[in-house]
Amino acid sequence: MTATSANGLSFMWEMIYIASSMRLPIVMSLVNRAVSGPLNIHNDHSDAMGVRDAGWIMLFSENNQEAYDNLVMAHRIAEHKDVLLPLMVCQDGFITSHSIENIELIEDDLVKSFVGKYEPKHYLLNSKEPISMGPLDLQAYLFEHKKQQAQSMVNAKKVILDVAKDFEKMTGRSYGLFEEYKLNDAEIAIVCMNSTAGTTKYVVDELRTRGIKAGLLKVRVFRPFPAEEIAKALSHTKAVAVLDKADSLNACGGALFSDVTSGMQVNKVMVPTINYIYGIGGRDTKSTDIETVFNDLDKIVKTGDIGNPYRYLGLRG
């Protein structure tokens, strides 16, 4: 296990790729903070988005309980014989990492039994099988090894769900690839990750009291990305907003937005979808901000006009 944030993650950028390519089931607690520069120590998702395609499984956590639970499940997922990939558990810096919140702890002996003993098939200190390992992999095999990594990421989706079922049997707490909050009959919906989901749930509840059919899809598993499942979950809605707490600086939206809209397009789900970049550098995102997003979605449903799909939330000026 290891832990880091922001510039610390950037500093070991090369090792992030090597760890996944060498199929090392490392578990990392990534407390999401802004990557320099300019220097900022507060929360956004730019550190995680910078390594989103590095071959690591990525779980996001709305609150402290989910961060704790994800870390317990992480070892079983990463070490599974059909996966063998490193895994990072993301949570929002300061918002959850430096806050006090009641959580339900699991007894040590139960955790040890659940996680199990790691018994690698091949390892460097095995005197009966002397091997050497290194990051050099040239034209003859690199392509095939990358395909193996890609297949392991595909395999991880089922393993994540299987481990979650066992975890639910132990704790009663249920986890999927994502959480649907009042989404079944929602006409307008927000897609987001981490602590912003809690604020969005509050706004959804408030709007429901006014008869507005608002809903939330909270992404828990970002890698492997559950494109088909998300597309299906959003297919009945009339308008969707995807919130990205990092700007890809590509002039066409954030990373989560790109993945969601790509998944919808491939799976022939045609729902008007807009993107909001928000919360950069720890900028507060209030319930009133989330409500403006739902108001914008309501206008899109009524007028059919998306306007500019690439937007900013809570930006001054």
Side-chain angles (χ1 to χ4, degrees), residues 21 113 122 139 161 188 197 263:
S21 67
S113 176
H122 306 286
Q139 296 93 327
L161 293 176
I188 52 178

Side-chain angles (χ1 to χ4, degrees), residues 1-4 12 26-30 56 71 87:
M1 284 194 71
T2 187
T4 191
M12 57 172 157
I26 298 165
V27 172
M28 175 191 291
S29 176
L30 179 61
W56 285 58
L71 282 164
L87 185 155

Side-chain angles (χ1 to χ4, degrees), residues 72 105-116 170-171:
V72 172
L105 297 173
I106 311 167
E107 292 83 355
D108 287 357
D109 58 338
L110 288 177
V111 173
K112 289 177 181 178
S113 176
F114 179 84
V115 171
M170 179 175 66
T171 65

